[in-house]
Amino acid sequence: MDIIEELRTFREKDIPYSRVLSSMCTIPHPVALEAHKMFVETNLGDPGIFRGTVELEKKLMSMIGELLHCKTPAGYICSGGTEANIQGVRAARNVQRKQRKGNLNIVIPKTAHFSFEKIGDILGVEIRRAGVDEEYRVDVGEVEKLVDESTIAIVGIAGTTELGQIDPIVELSKLAEERGIELHVDAAFGGLVIPFMDNPYPFDFQNSGVSSITIDPHKMGMATIPAGGIVFKDESYLMALEVETPYLTSKTQFTLTGTRPGTGVASAYAVLRHLGYDGMREVVMGCLRNTRIIVEEMLSLGFEPVIEPVMNVVAFPTEEAERIKDELYRRRWVISTIREPKAIRFVVMPHVTEEVIKEFISDFRKVVGNG
């Protein structure tokens, strides 16, 4: 068998995105694919060789900084939200640890992404979890009670993984400033959704207490994978991450991984430049309209959302969540479930078109006995 044919047989076993209503990634934009091919051999880990790619990354970070209301953005494109969250907390630890006593800790919402479990293990910081209110936003009062002299940072989420909810970043920012600690905002998903919504919530560097933001172009930015992002409010945080790299074309390196593909930079830049803010807004608005269609269809079947969707993520409580998910998977539909409350969850990405929704709902009716 020809090797390409062999590869095709494996690829054909993958479930196409047109059957996936659970992923926060999507089909890359066509211009992202072209950019990816052009930069496929580049390695940002050796900046003296790939000088143009480094320059392109700086231009991209300036664009993202402008989107996030930061005049002095410092950061880079990384493997994804997990790496970005690690680096955000690692920088906070390195900046804060001389001022803190005892075993260092961070305070996160109970709704935070599972990457923070890894962060606690890798960085050796205690993870303290604050409860949420009736709308599943972190309770700022609980956060305040958990902060002490060993706290280096608090974390807020702008687009929670399970419900797409936005934590009260304005209040968290004030608390961080009062206590003299860092505030890391995990906007891996929401960072390229919220700015293009009507009356966007001020989750970003508009708040002076925000020190770092995770934002992933390979999610709603429609870049190729991997293209995560970490943005700091200024270069002092990057300097807190630097290590010497004597055998490379740069003397120091602030990234977590050494070798870094330039494909994520090129594809993310290409999409943002090609679509512009107006084009991105059109994509986001389309996803929000389709989210409303799903809500209306589900309401007609007797399913009410856990919360009114804030962005293009929505969940519906049901005791049969796992059975429904498994039955749909047997029909080659992929959705996900959440535990608190027990519910089925949908993420309405650009590939989840109105046609996809109609086809999905037709099968969903059969699964729940309404078709």
Side-chain angles (χ1 to χ4, degrees), residues 77-86 188 214-216 218-219 226-230:
I77 297 301
C78 60
S79 63
T82 294
E83 180 181 342
N85 286 338
I86 291 170
T214 290
I215 180 170
D216 284 0
H218 67 207
K219 293 185 170 76
I230 176 67

Side-chain angles (χ1 to χ4, degrees), residues 192 196 220-222 272 275-284:
L192 286 168
F196 306 110
M220 280 296 290
M222 296 167 288
L272 288 176
L275 292 179
Y277 285 1
D278 289 343
M280 286 294 296
R281 177 178 167 79
E282 188 176 334
V283 170
V284 169

Side-chain angles (χ1 to χ4, degrees), residues 24 111 159-164 313-315 337-340 345:
M24 285 185 159
T111 50
T160 57
T161 305
E162 294 189 331
L163 294 173
V313 181
V314 62
T337 58
I338 65 176
R339 291 176 292 180
E340 291 184 26
R345 164 186 170 270

